[in-house]
Amino acid sequence: MRCNSCGREVESQPCPHCGAYNVLDKGFVRLVEFLGGDRAVVQAARVSVGQGLKTPEKDRRLINYLMKHEHGTPFEHAVFKFHVKAPIFVAREWFRHRIASYNEISQRYVEVGDEFYVPDRLRKPSKGNKQASEFADFPDEGEILSKIEEAYRYVYTLYREMLERGVARELARIVLPLGIYTQFYWTVNARSLMNFLRLREASDAQWEIRQYAKVILRIFREKMPWTAEAWEKLGRKRP
Amino acid sequence: MRCNSCGREVESQPCPHCGAYNVLDKGFVRLVEFLGGDRAVVQAARVSVGQGLKTPEKDRRLINYLMKHEHGTPFEHAVFKFHVKAPIFVAREWFRHRIASYNEISQRYVEVGDEFYVPDRLRKPSKGNKQASEFADFPDEGEILSKIEEAYRYVYTLYREMLERGVARELARIVLPLGIYTQFYWTVNARSLMNFLRLREASDAQWEIRQYAKVILRIFREKMPWTAEAWEKLGRKRP
Amino acid sequence: MRCNSCGREVESQPCPHCGAYNVLDKGFVRLVEFLGGDRAVVQAARVSVGQGLKTPEKDRRLINYLMKHEHGTPFEHAVFKFHVKAPIFVAREWFRHRIASYNEISQRYVEVGDEFYVPDRLRKPSKGNKQASEFADFPDEGEILSKIEEAYRYVYTLYREMLERGVARELARIVLPLGIYTQFYWTVNARSLMNFLRLREASDAQWEIRQYAKVILRIFREKMPWTAEAWEKLGRKRP
Amino acid sequence: MRCNSCGREVESQPCPHCGAYNVLDKGFVRLVEFLGGDRAVVQAARVSVGQGLKTPEKDRRLINYLMKHEHGTPFEHAVFKFHVKAPIFVAREWFRHRIASYNEISQRYVEVGDEFYVPDRLRKPSKGNKQASEFADFPDEGEILSKIEEAYRYVYTLYREMLERGVARELARIVLPLGIYTQFYWTVNARSLMNFLRLREASDAQWEIRQYAKVILRIFREKMPWTAEAWEKLGRKRP
């Protein structure tokens, strides 16, 4: 398999060269930098009682306590910076999370490449939840997927033609589809990240953003194992 | 002319029936509610010196003083709520402004209507500024605009076809273009609104969002004449 | 009883002249302005499904649904502006709530008046909760309360003496106690206000800030009865 | 001299043992962790044009460009975490900066130590600026400073007495002065930090918080030399 970030042939995830995880057909999530960690949460929480780190057992118990009682501020002292490549309809949901920092590739400035999200399989509306969806057998799945690709090619050809005729990028882009890929840096603290996960890794989140959230959860678990464990037990689903 | 919000025939802007201003070919901006005003700014600022409102002349001078010295917090006590209809590529720039509240129509839930932004005229890249654009004479303008409309129809037909074949809305939407219209509520305080205007009403902003910003500036002037005047003189362009 | 805000003799709360509620011995909470309301929440929520207001019954049910599933953004479109007078140790807890706007009287600029919080009764530490407290019988309560007042007078006399000898206000204030009263404007949306109430109206909040939270809850109930009811049932205590 | 953070005898600043800088008579600022740096700013900014790092010269020029045109978001991807000890009247100004994370020692929970800020010299009101102050010769300076210390001792003795008689900490603290020291963790991105510096390192800021801001500026210069240089030239004072 090929790494969607650095383009090298890889056998497993994350990419041993650049650290990225592939997501969807052409996207990725890559942790760029990280500050803090479980013990930073403990330190920040203990300053309030005039104390510092204790035994791992006690520190872990404290994290559970904070999670259970929704004492969120200590979790703000751990910070993740990600590089993400995702389709625009995914990025639009992502950018609704306001307590975070974003820098995105500018379609006004850059000529957009022809990278579009083509699903592997189609989904039909969920029975239980009007806005959700579930995988289903479509007799004509192959045909529909081909039509999606064809539409992508069609509008991309028009986009390129407009550029060649001298139309400004910022204007020519209006025909580009929501399935086109974009890239951005995302810096977010653990408190806001847990809120992202609660909403976007949930079963009623759109399947595509959920794939991103799953990778972020995996990275979260690696970097902050105690916090991630406490969150999965106590924060993910409020009972 | 027809009001893009309520659909009634009107002779002038804003619409005498619903209060909306038309923007672009199918969009609008409508002030839904407003809290505060120039005097609310003055009141909030004067609490810090243990005083209240004074003469209009003095109050106005205070607003100029606050603006000049970038004392931003008193302006946060005036709040606007707008209803906006805009193409997605405009909404995407808009939603980057994090100090504000948004609720947007959900394309996961709702079947999207066939309303797309078709420019009146085309623009070429600016000479001075790579990411900006300017109006220009395109010998084949009519042809290009027709092709844009054709592309819109093409992908919208595919979108509708997918829905009919049972594809979930949240998935079928991936072929929809960035030029499709969306709607949202936007609640924002005057400080954040002035920041929006500084960036989006500027000459290097994309022409389309600038049309929205111009209307918002007009409403701002009506509701907070002293603050708007001070902003145009002292806050719009930092020298 | 005398209104702590306008100083007039009143028989009931809120003050029929200025609208303030007395809190503690010299403090108050006064709603200055309000934007939105239950129906504004419903409108903002329904934009996402392309609809507007329906029957009161349905609208009310929607608010319950939003509350239960923690869909917070629609509640951001209702905004309260309060004028508050509270002791500094209360204000310090208050200002930790970052999603809100504040303007406070400046002790650097203004000569501070001799208004201090003197409790009616003393409290001892709670048995269950180290940081909380409960009312108790203190045999020497009167004596301790007198000593508190004496200490207030002592440091205030020194403060005044320093000012008279030419010491700058911003420096002379360092001897003033945390029990001294301050005033501020607070503009906050309903979502952030509910978070404030969840933390500050709770049984483990400090008794003094809880008195303020109780009044704010009362005003919240008046202005947004459906939302307040839903919050008390579903948002106040996460089960 | 003794380090105000770890208590060891040191000859220079920052403390070679714990890294803290002394501020005022008993306070300190200590950088705990840092994420990003000048090149992280460049990376985040260049993602928008689909590029990465270039030569140091070009990267540096980009930072100047961003600063000059107030493109703030790339600076959000560098994050500082500080441990601070400061008097409460300083902390109160500090906590007004909302785009940051705080965890502070809890006076409700912890018995407060007898550490108070005693200035070296007194200041009188500034002639030009009512709320500012300047150093001056006070014939009776020594006497006034003694009275401040005496007042501190007086109220602290009462505080201790109340605790001994069984009064809850959260209540007993109401007599403690604004000059008492507190401690907190502060996590802040470089954009918000520059805003802090613009306001708190300015000549009209209170002298005491300015001493903290000076140390933070020093650390900022060490960790992000290009950004700090650009800020001092272009961001500190808007012309």
Side-chain angles (χ1 to χ4, degrees), chain B residues 3-8 10 12-23 28-33 81-83 215 218-219 222-223:
Chain B
C3 170
N4 287 343
S5 171
C6 69
R8 272 174 273 207
V10 296
S12 66
Q13 295 278 298
C15 170
H17 309 292
C18 72
Y21 288 85
N22 284 356
V23 189
F28 63 79
V29 167
R30 186 168 67 80
L31 182 68
V32 181
E33 270 191 279
K81 189 193 308 182
F82 295 102
H83 183 188
V215 167
R218 190 166 159 181
I219 294 168
E222 259 166 49
K223 289 292 170 187

CSV table of all heavy atoms in Angstrom, one decimal, chain B residues 3-8 10 12-23 28-33 81-83 215 218-219 222-223:
chain,number,residue,atom,x,y,z
B,3,CYS,N,-37.2,39.6,-3.9
B,3,CYS,CA,-36.4,39.4,-2.7
B,3,CYS,C,-36.0,37.9,-2.6
B,3,CYS,O,-36.8,37.0,-2.7
B,3,CYS,CB,-37.3,39.7,-1.4
B,3,CYS,SG,-36.5,39.2,0.1
B,4,ASN,N,-34.7,37.7,-2.4
B,4,ASN,CA,-34.1,36.4,-2.4
B,4,ASN,C,-34.5,35.6,-1.1
B,4,ASN,O,-34.3,34.4,-1.0
B,4,ASN,CB,-32.6,36.4,-2.5
B,4,ASN,CG,-32.1,36.8,-3.8
B,4,ASN,OD1,-32.9,36.7,-4.8
B,4,ASN,ND2,-30.8,37.2,-4.0
B,5,SER,N,-35.0,36.4,-0.1
B,5,SER,CA,-35.4,35.7,1.1
B,5,SER,C,-36.8,35.3,1.2
B,5,SER,O,-37.2,34.1,1.3
B,5,SER,CB,-35.1,36.6,2.3
B,5,SER,OG,-35.6,36.1,3.5
B,6,CYS,N,-37.8,36.3,0.9
B,6,CYS,CA,-39.2,35.9,1.1
B,6,CYS,C,-39.8,35.7,-0.3
B,6,CYS,O,-41.0,35.3,-0.4
B,6,CYS,CB,-39.9,37.0,1.9
B,6,CYS,SG,-40.1,38.6,1.0
B,7,GLY,N,-39.1,36.0,-1.4
B,7,GLY,CA,-39.6,35.7,-2.7
B,7,GLY,C,-40.6,36.8,-3.3
B,7,GLY,O,-41.1,36.6,-4.4
B,8,ARG,N,-40.9,37.8,-2.5
B,8,ARG,CA,-41.8,38.8,-3.0
B,8,ARG,C,-41.2,39.8,-3.9
B,8,ARG,O,-40.0,40.1,-3.8
B,8,ARG,CB,-42.5,39.5,-1.8
B,8,ARG,CG,-43.7,38.8,-1.3
B,8,ARG,CD,-44.3,39.4,-0.1
B,8,ARG,NE,-43.6,38.8,1.1
B,8,ARG,CZ,-44.2,38.7,2.3
B,8,ARG,NH1,-45.4,39.2,2.5
B,8,ARG,NH2,-43.6,38.2,3.3
B,10,VAL,N,-40.1,43.3,-4.9
B,10,VAL,CA,-39.8,44.5,-4.2
B,10,VAL,C,-39.1,45.5,-5.1
B,10,VAL,O,-38.5,45.2,-6.1
B,10,VAL,CB,-38.8,44.2,-3.0
B,10,VAL,CG1,-39.5,43.3,-2.0
B,10,VAL,CG2,-37.5,43.6,-3.5
B,12,SER,N,-37.0,48.1,-3.7
B,12,SER,CA,-35.8,48.6,-3.1
B,12,SER,C,-35.3,47.7,-2.0
B,12,SER,O,-36.0,46.7,-1.6
B,12,SER,CB,-36.1,50.0,-2.5
B,12,SER,OG,-37.0,49.9,-1.4
B,13,GLN,N,-34.1,47.9,-1.5
B,13,GLN,CA,-33.5,47.1,-0.5
B,13,GLN,C,-33.4,48.0,0.8
B,13,GLN,O,-33.1,49.1,0.7
B,13,GLN,CB,-32.1,46.7,-1.0
B,13,GLN,CG,-32.1,45.8,-2.2
B,13,GLN,CD,-32.4,44.4,-1.8
B,13,GLN,OE1,-31.6,43.8,-1.1
B,13,GLN,NE2,-33.5,43.8,-2.2
B,14,PRO,N,-33.5,47.4,2.0
B,14,PRO,CA,-33.9,46.0,2.2
B,14,PRO,C,-35.4,45.8,1.9
B,14,PRO,O,-36.1,46.7,1.8
B,14,PRO,CB,-33.7,45.9,3.7
B,14,PRO,CG,-33.9,47.3,4.3
B,14,PRO,CD,-33.4,48.2,3.2
B,15,CYS,N,-35.7,44.5,1.8
B,15,CYS,CA,-37.1,44.1,1.5
B,15,CYS,C,-38.0,44.7,2.6
B,15,CYS,O,-37.8,44.4,3.8
B,15,CYS,CB,-37.1,42.6,1.5
B,15,CYS,SG,-38.8,41.9,1.4
B,16,PRO,N,-39.0,45.4,2.2
B,16,PRO,CA,-40.0,46.0,3.1
B,16,PRO,C,-40.8,44.9,3.9
B,16,PRO,O,-41.4,45.2,4.9
B,16,PRO,CB,-40.9,46.9,2.3
B,16,PRO,CG,-40.7,46.4,0.9
B,16,PRO,CD,-39.4,45.8,0.8
B,17,HIS,N,-40.8,43.7,3.4
B,17,HIS,CA,-41.6,42.6,4.0
B,17,HIS,C,-40.8,41.9,5.0
B,17,HIS,O,-41.2,41.7,6.2
B,17,HIS,CB,-42.1,41.7,2.9
B,17,HIS,CG,-42.8,42.3,1.8
B,17,HIS,ND1,-44.0,43.0,2.0
B,17,HIS,CD2,-42.5,42.5,0.5
B,17,HIS,CE1,-44.4,43.5,0.8
B,17,HIS,NE2,-43.5,43.3,-0.1
B,18,CYS,N,-39.6,41.4,4.7
B,18,CYS,CA,-38.9,40.5,5.6
B,18,CYS,C,-37.6,41.2,6.1
B,18,CYS,O,-36.9,40.6,6.9
B,18,CYS,CB,-38.6,39.2,4.9
B,18,CYS,SG,-37.3,39.3,3.6
B,19,GLY,N,-37.2,42.3,5.5
B,19,GLY,CA,-36.0,43.0,6.0
B,19,GLY,C,-34.7,42.5,5.4
B,19,GLY,O,-33.6,43.0,5.7
B,20,ALA,N,-34.7,41.6,4.4
B,20,ALA,CA,-33.5,41.0,3.9
B,20,ALA,C,-32.9,42.0,2.8
B,20,ALA,O,-33.6,42.7,2.1
B,20,ALA,CB,-33.8,39.7,3.3
B,21,TYR,N,-31.6,41.9,2.7
B,21,TYR,CA,-30.9,42.5,1.5
B,21,TYR,C,-30.5,41.4,0.6
B,21,TYR,O,-29.8,40.4,1.0
B,21,TYR,CB,-29.6,43.2,2.0
B,21,TYR,CG,-29.8,44.5,2.8
B,21,TYR,CD1,-30.0,44.4,4.2
B,21,TYR,CD2,-29.7,45.7,2.2
B,21,TYR,CE1,-30.2,45.6,4.9
B,21,TYR,CE2,-29.8,46.9,2.9
B,21,TYR,CZ,-30.1,46.8,4.3
B,21,TYR,OH,-30.2,48.0,5.0
B,22,ASN,N,-30.8,41.5,-0.7
B,22,ASN,CA,-30.2,40.6,-1.7
B,22,ASN,C,-28.7,40.7,-1.8
B,22,ASN,O,-28.2,41.8,-1.8
B,22,ASN,CB,-30.9,40.8,-3.0
B,22,ASN,CG,-32.3,40.3,-3.1
B,22,ASN,OD1,-32.8,39.7,-2.2
B,22,ASN,ND2,-32.9,40.6,-4.2
B,23,VAL,N,-28.0,39.6,-1.9
B,23,VAL,CA,-26.6,39.6,-2.2
B,23,VAL,C,-26.3,38.5,-3.2
B,23,VAL,O,-26.9,37.4,-3.2
B,23,VAL,CB,-25.8,39.3,-0.9
B,23,VAL,CG1,-24.3,39.5,-1.2
B,23,VAL,CG2,-26.2,40.1,0.3
B,28,PHE,N,-28.8,36.2,0.4
B,28,PHE,CA,-29.3,37.4,1.2
B,28,PHE,C,-28.6,37.5,2.6
B,28,PHE,O,-28.0,36.5,3.0
B,28,PHE,CB,-30.8,37.3,1.3
B,28,PHE,CG,-31.3,36.2,2.1
B,28,PHE,CD1,-31.3,36.2,3.5
B,28,PHE,CD2,-31.9,35.1,1.4
B,28,PHE,CE1,-31.8,35.1,4.2
B,28,PHE,CE2,-32.4,34.0,2.2
B,28,PHE,CZ,-32.4,34.0,3.5
B,29,VAL,N,-28.8,38.6,3.2
B,29,VAL,CA,-28.4,38.9,4.6
B,29,VAL,C,-29.6,39.5,5.2
B,29,VAL,O,-30.1,40.5,4.7
B,29,VAL,CB,-27.2,39.8,4.7
B,29,VAL,CG1,-27.0,40.2,6.1
B,29,VAL,CG2,-25.9,39.1,4.2
B,30,ARG,N,-30.0,39.0,6.4
B,30,ARG,CA,-31.1,39.6,7.1
B,30,ARG,C,-30.8,39.7,8.5
B,30,ARG,O,-30.4,38.7,9.2
B,30,ARG,CB,-32.3,38.6,6.9
B,30,ARG,CG,-33.7,39.2,7.4
B,30,ARG,CD,-34.8,38.3,6.9
B,30,ARG,NE,-34.8,36.9,7.4
B,30,ARG,CZ,-35.2,36.6,8.7
B,30,ARG,NH1,-35.7,37.5,9.4
B,30,ARG,NH2,-35.1,35.4,9.1
B,31,LEU,N,-31.0,40.9,9.1
B,31,LEU,CA,-30.7,41.0,10.5
B,31,LEU,C,-32.0,40.5,11.3
B,31,LEU,O,-33.1,41.0,11.0
B,31,LEU,CB,-30.5,42.5,10.9
B,31,LEU,CG,-30.3,42.8,12.4
B,31,LEU,CD1,-28.9,42.2,12.8
B,31,LEU,CD2,-30.3,44.3,12.7
B,32,VAL,N,-31.8,39.5,12.1
B,32,VAL,CA,-32.9,38.9,12.8
B,32,VAL,C,-33.2,39.6,14.1
B,32,VAL,O,-34.3,39.9,14.5
B,32,VAL,CB,-32.6,37.4,13.1
B,32,VAL,CG1,-33.8,36.8,13.8
B,32,VAL,CG2,-32.4,36.7,11.8
B,33,GLU,N,-32.1,39.9,14.9
B,33,GLU,CA,-32.2,40.5,16.2
B,33,GLU,C,-30.9,41.3,16.5
B,33,GLU,O,-29.9,41.0,15.9
B,33,GLU,CB,-32.3,39.4,17.3
B,33,GLU,CG,-33.8,39.1,17.6
B,33,GLU,CD,-33.8,38.2,18.8
B,33,GLU,OE1,-33.6,37.0,18.7
B,33,GLU,OE2,-34.1,38.8,19.9
B,81,LYS,N,-27.7,39.3,15.4
B,81,LYS,CA,-28.0,37.9,14.9
B,81,LYS,C,-28.5,38.1,13.4
B,81,LYS,O,-29.5,38.7,13.2
B,81,LYS,CB,-29.1,37.3,15.7
B,81,LYS,CG,-29.3,35.8,15.4
B,81,LYS,CD,-30.5,35.2,16.0
B,81,LYS,CE,-30.6,35.5,17.4
B,81,LYS,NZ,-31.8,34.8,18.0
B,82,PHE,N,-27.8,37.4,12.5
B,82,PHE,CA,-28.1,37.5,11.1
B,82,PHE,C,-28.6,36.1,10.6
B,82,PHE,O,-28.2,35.0,11.1
B,82,PHE,CB,-26.9,37.8,10.3
B,82,PHE,CG,-26.3,39.2,10.5
B,82,PHE,CD1,-25.2,39.4,11.3
B,82,PHE,CD2,-26.9,40.3,9.9
B,82,PHE,CE1,-24.7,40.6,11.5
B,82,PHE,CE2,-26.4,41.6,10.2
B,82,PHE,CZ,-25.3,41.7,11.0
B,83,HIS,N,-29.5,36.2,9.6
B,83,HIS,CA,-29.8,35.0,8.8
B,83,HIS,C,-29.1,35.2,7.4
B,83,HIS,O,-29.3,36.3,6.8
B,83,HIS,CB,-31.3,34.9,8.7
B,83,HIS,CG,-31.8,33.7,7.9
B,83,HIS,ND1,-33.1,33.5,7.6
B,83,HIS,CD2,-31.1,32.6,7.5
B,83,HIS,CE1,-33.2,32.3,6.9
B,83,HIS,NE2,-32.0,31.7,6.9
B,215,VAL,N,-22.9,44.6,2.9
B,215,VAL,CA,-24.3,44.7,3.4
B,215,VAL,C,-24.2,44.7,4.9
B,215,VAL,O,-24.9,45.5,5.6
B,215,VAL,CB,-25.2,43.5,2.9
B,215,VAL,CG1,-26.5,43.4,3.7
B,215,VAL,CG2,-25.5,43.7,1.4
B,218,ARG,N,-23.3,48.0,6.1
B,218,ARG,CA,-24.5,48.9,6.0
B,218,ARG,C,-25.4,48.8,7.2
B,218,ARG,O,-25.8,49.8,7.8
B,218,ARG,CB,-25.2,48.6,4.7
B,218,ARG,CG,-26.3,49.6,4.3
B,218,ARG,CD,-26.7,49.4,2.9
B,218,ARG,NE,-28.0,49.9,2.7
B,218,ARG,CZ,-28.7,49.9,1.6
B,218,ARG,NH1,-28.2,49.3,0.5
B,218,ARG,NH2,-29.9,50.5,1.5
B,219,ILE,N,-25.7,47.5,7.6
B,219,ILE,CA,-26.5,47.3,8.8
B,219,ILE,C,-25.8,47.7,10.0
B,219,ILE,O,-26.4,48.3,10.9
B,219,ILE,CB,-26.8,45.8,8.9
B,219,ILE,CG1,-27.7,45.4,7.7
B,219,ILE,CG2,-27.5,45.4,10.2
B,219,ILE,CD1,-27.9,43.8,7.5
B,222,GLU,N,-26.2,51.4,10.4
B,222,GLU,CA,-27.5,51.8,10.9
B,222,GLU,C,-27.8,51.5,12.4
B,222,GLU,O,-28.4,52.4,13.0
B,222,GLU,CB,-28.6,50.9,10.2
B,222,GLU,CG,-29.2,51.5,9.0
B,222,GLU,CD,-30.0,50.5,8.2
B,222,GLU,OE1,-30.7,49.7,8.8
B,222,GLU,OE2,-29.7,50.4,7.0
B,223,LYS,N,-27.2,50.4,12.8
B,223,LYS,CA,-27.5,50.0,14.2
B,223,LYS,C,-26.5,50.7,15.2
B,223,LYS,O,-26.9,50.9,16.4
B,223,LYS,CB,-27.4,48.5,14.4
B,223,LYS,CG,-28.6,47.8,13.7
B,223,LYS,CD,-29.8,48.1,14.5
B,223,LYS,CE,-31.1,47.6,13.7
B,223,LYS,NZ,-32.3,48.0,14.4
